[in-house]
Amino acid sequence: MYPDIRNDFVAFTTDDDVWLMSLKDMRPIRVTTDTGVSIKPKISPDGKRIAFTTLWLRSGKQGADVFIVEDGRSKRVTYFNRPTTWVAGWLSDKEIMVITDYHTPFNAWTEAYKVNVNDESYEPLPYGIVSNISIKNETIVIARGYQDLPFWKGYRGGTKGELWISFDAGETFKKFLSLNGIISHPMILNDRVYFLSDHESVSNLYSVDMQGENLLKHTNFSDYYCRNASSDGKRIVFQRAGDIYLFDPQTNNTIKLEIEVFTERKKKRPKFVSTMEYLTDVDVNQNYIGLIVRGKPFIMRPWEGPVVQLGEKQGVKYRELQFLSNEDIAVVDSNENKLLILSKDGKIKQKVEKDFGRIEKIKASPDGKKLLISNNRLELWLYDLESKKEKLIDKSSYGIIREFDWHPTGEWFSYAFPEGFRTQSIKIANVSGNIIRVTSPYAFDFSPSFDPDGKFLYFLSARTLDPSSDKFIFNMSFQRVIKPYLVVLSKAYSPFNQPLEEVKHDKNVDPEGIQYRVIPFPVEEDNYVKISGAKSNKVLLYSQPIRGQLNPQEDTLGKIEIFDIEIKSKEVFAENVRNFVITKDGSKVLLVFKDSIRLVNATTKPDLSTQGIKGGVVDTTRIKVLVDPEKEWRQMLFETWKLMKENYWSAEKLQGWDSVLDKYEKLLDRVSTRYELSDVLKEMQGETKTSHSYETPYDFETAEPLVIGGLGAEFNYDEQRECFKIVKIYSGDPTNEGERSPLKDPGVELNEGDCIYSIDGEKVRKGSINSHFINKDQAILEVLTSDGKNRTVSVRLMKDEKYLMYRHWVEKNREYVHKMSDGKLGYVHVPDMMYQGFAEFFRLFISEFYRQGLIVDVRFNRGGFISGLILQRLLLRREGYDVPRNGERIPFPYLSSPKVIVAVTNENAGSDGDIFSYLFKKYKIGILIGRRTWGGVIGISPRHLLVDKTVVTQPEFAAIFDEVGLGIENYGVDPDIEVDNYPQDYRTGKDRQLDKAIEIALKQMNT
């Protein structure tokens, strides 16, 4: 992968390292080891050094920076610590070009930097947004848009890529080339610009003359894409399907380089992995605990004895483990998506051949003879393990039937049935298929659970709608809406309304009039998420805290309370719980914490301060999870392909998908590392030619990336005074958390012009100031102030400066709009259509809505799902004012929008940002200015994890609009007025798009 050429030497990546090979003897030599995943090597002009990018990904944490290798030794030369960072080429024997989003407001806003590899000093090149770059003398070609797009082949949207050219060393640029497809990896050779493009279907090598004309095609591949091309100005190398090809423009010939790499491929060796990190399923009965870890099912006695792995040991992913009464185990084989019955000695006893679709969940009956099965087809099935017959019980049109439970007699079961897009009822049914709706179809009821004695059915319901006032915007919301309910199954008194005589219940379910025997628990509403019945009239209530969404945790931890029906009170049972499972008889409960599990009595509060068996602690170190990567990777590829086949939004439009598996299976024998597998998975996903076909890996088996603390400022090294001079300090709203440089903290209070000459007692040297802040939370700075004083200050470093960069950009834009309009126009930016976007919109809107006009900026909007909420606010137009005796008049309706609104969008506004841009035009809210948007509106439900916690998504929901149908997908939304920002504009800080928005808004206000 990632080849580069310099004269007779080719560098490339394989086995996660950089290799160098002479074209004369074709003998590759490994030049990096154990620095992470080393990719995108670039050979220096003198051939003595190789610059490359190192990626780190460990347990979901990622980073990247640039290193060089010389004489067998590697050295880090950048400290940006941004995943987008990569080396683009050499400017001289000592200077490289690096592309990164360091200190920009958005991940998609990448710029080019010049980095001196001798002293690590750097400076930005003044070309603005750059995705790739090629320089030859005074001629500079920059690319904008996608450069390598394996996950979306055939892309034609707004970021499909274009080339800009400068003939005066970057003083001025003009648009050079745009095609109906990807344009990537520009390379200047002789008097032509070469590049890769898929505008004619499959990516091949093309070139144009220096006027962007006379298009020539130089390769003619029709299956796998040509990717990641590079050149030394004489010849070109590129990768294709795991091989490297060499193109010679003099002969117009392309050859495949026959490279034989001698490597241990050590990342394919079997290894052991953490139990708790990869625990996905648990079940428990009176004798055993069952777990699925890294797709492997295990059973064990709680306290001692052997741990038995069930089924195939390697190469199969199992899920949805359920104990049967005879201590056999039911699981789902993800490879074939079939139901299996395993014996506790690990052998396969029965394989159910029925095609149930993608099985989402299973639940065994108390006698272990029947199974309830739900699937992605929105169906609920009953399967009899003895007769081997299945019965379709119910089917929804609105969602997957995710929750169900068995009555202890095994004759009845209950399930939560999606009745609408936001409503769900509780139903009960008997094994003969007779269905009774217990609750109305007009609320959201969930988590059905039977009392182990068979007297009651418990469930949760979000139906207690007691509104509370939003503390920030003029709105109402329902924060705590969920209460537990019980259903009296026989014709007997409610436990909350006891008569004088003794109440008797039997285990019979009497469906007649059951809708009138639904009773709420006498408890306050809360954010309950799960309810389970325990023995002795006890009920376990699991709730999670209501909290903000901007910093979600990987594991959402909650508390369990135990409710005693007889005394009608509850107390805390356990806290910081990830999940729990109760035995079928309701006597024991398995508590799953972040790093441990405990098996305790379900009817009395456990003493969780006690360790060992007395505290119910199950020793998970007894479980040894051995993984064979080669077999696991093959399973992951197959499951990724299978998930797409089963979940893609239109089976008709996925024609030919069956042949795709074979096409990419052929590459698996070439794969040596998890990173290489990721590349193959992305390419396979890309064959859908549809948006949102993602593969998001969790771990590349590298070291964990170390955080580099930030000061929220820009520096220049003062060679005369030998210190870092502060030239710019970033600030959003300095009173808000995370919107102020630490240099402005109380007691620190440094200013632009001050110079830092020592950090933590170490004299600074020319290079990157960030190199002093690796893995640090705090630092002591010795400073020479601009007025000649010496100060020593302690600063707390920022772990991530990105949000500060964003807020600085927003506030600069807002200040500019106010200035240019004499305060008549307000400015709002929406960075995504998720939680941050919602917060940012209203953060600005409350101080801008009363002005005469409003500019809504959705450039770089990452998408999401809340465009409708923002559009509602913009559609609520001002129709008058409330006029008080004192003070300013108040717009009516309150927090309504002014009648003049202009929106700004660009090619990096996508997904729900596409939809916002389209509906802004459709609803005629105002004029839309900017560039055609990203063009990806077939949405996803990212719930499927591969065995190593990799997320793979399938385009499941097509956004079809009345006037354009599927027209936004793979095209985007055209603005009413197209305006682009030129590369040279960034040098002067000019924003043509924002200027045009101000001009149009002011003109509309004056008409």
Side-chain angles (χ1 to χ4, degrees), residues 451 456 458 483-486 494-496 519-524 528 531-542 560-574 602-605:
D451 162 35
F456 311 119
Y458 307 118
K483 287 188 75 166
Y485 286 74
L486 67 77
S494 158
F496 307 134
I519 305 296
F521 277 58
V523 297
E524 293 294 320
Y528 295 111
I531 186 171
S532 285
K535 286 186 72 66
S536 305
N537 291 318
K538 302 296 195 299
V539 182
L540 297 182
L541 296 167
Y542 180 53
I560 299 175
E561 296 171 294
I562 184 169
F563 183 88
D564 190 317
I565 286 180
E566 291 184 356
I567 64 175
K568 302 174 182 60
S569 67
K570 66 183 173 73
E571 64 175 334
V572 174
F573 185 83
T603 60
T604 57
K605 181 177 180 178

Side-chain angles (χ1 to χ4, degrees), residues 538-777:
K538 302 296 195 299
V539 182
L540 297 182
L541 296 167
Y542 180 53
S543 63
Q544 292 175 346
I546 296 173
R547 62 186 180 203
Q549 299 292 326
L550 291 181
N551 296 296
Q553 298 180 0
E554 180 185 350
D555 292 311
T556 302
L557 305 179
K559 69 177 179 181
I560 299 175
E561 296 171 294
I562 184 169
F563 183 88
D564 190 317
I565 286 180
E566 291 184 356
I567 64 175
K568 302 174 182 60
S569 67
K570 66 183 173 73
E571 64 175 334
V572 174
F573 185 83
E575 295 185 286
N576 298 316
V577 178
R578 196 170 84 183
N579 193 11
F580 74 95
V581 178
I582 198 164
T583 56
K584 287 184 173 63
D585 68 356
S587 63
K588 296 179 181 178
V589 61
L590 188 70
L591 303 175
V592 182
F593 298 91
K594 185 174 181 180
D595 299 313
S596 65
I597 58 176
R598 295 182 186 236
L599 182 63
V600 298
N601 191 307
T603 60
T604 57
K605 181 177 180 178
D607 182 4
L608 298 180
S609 64
T610 304
Q611 298 300 310
I613 297 176
K614 188 176 180 181
V617 177
V618 178
D619 181 9
T620 57
T621 64
R622 294 162 55 201
I623 306 169
K624 309 301 181 183
V625 187
L626 179 65
V627 171
D628 184 331
E630 189 165 8
K631 292 180 179 178
E632 187 177 76
W633 296 343
R634 193 167 297 276
Q635 186 278 327
M636 290 168 66
L637 182 99
F638 181 83
E639 186 173 14
T640 301
W641 173 85
K642 184 79 168 176
L643 283 166
M644 189 67 74
K645 182 180 176 67
E646 292 170 340
N647 291 317
Y648 189 83
W649 76 277
S650 169
E652 179 183 348
K653 293 184 179 295
L654 201 63
Q655 294 296 318
W657 187 246
D658 287 352
S659 65
V660 169
L661 179 63
D662 180 63
K663 179 177 178 179
Y664 289 95
E665 272 189 323
K666 294 175 181 177
L667 303 181
L668 276 180
D669 289 338
R670 310 284 299 280
V671 169
S672 298
T673 70
R674 179 61 190 81
Y675 177 79
E676 294 173 1
L677 175 70
S678 188
D679 195 72
V680 173
L681 292 177
K682 283 183 171 68
E683 277 227 55
M684 185 176 72
Q685 293 273 83
E687 295 284 349
T688 66
K689 298 186 176 179
T690 308
S691 65
H692 296 88
S693 299
Y694 299 137
E695 181 264 0
T696 307
Y698 175 75
D699 199 329
F700 285 153
E701 297 183 47
T702 66
E704 186 173 306
L706 298 176
V707 171
I708 297 180
L711 290 175
E714 302 286 355
F715 303 88
N716 280 340
Y717 186 75
D718 187 321
E719 299 204 33
Q720 182 178 358
R721 295 187 292 175
E722 298 183 322
C723 58
F724 281 104
K725 181 180 179 181
I726 304 169
V727 295
K728 183 177 183 179
I729 297 177
Y730 289 98
S731 180
D733 182 338
T735 56
N736 290 337
E737 183 179 3
E739 296 189 31
R740 179 184 65 226
S741 163
L743 299 178
K744 285 297 185 181
D745 280 352
V748 183
E749 300 170 20
L750 298 181
N751 299 299
E752 294 173 359
D754 295 344
C755 219
I756 300 169
Y757 61 85
S758 173
I759 299 174
D760 289 336
E762 180 183 3
K763 185 171 178 57
V764 300
R765 59 177 178 78
K766 186 177 181 180
S768 171
I769 192 172
N770 292 347
S771 65
H772 293 273
F773 301 139
I774 298 177
N775 203 28
K776 288 184 180 179
D777 298 318

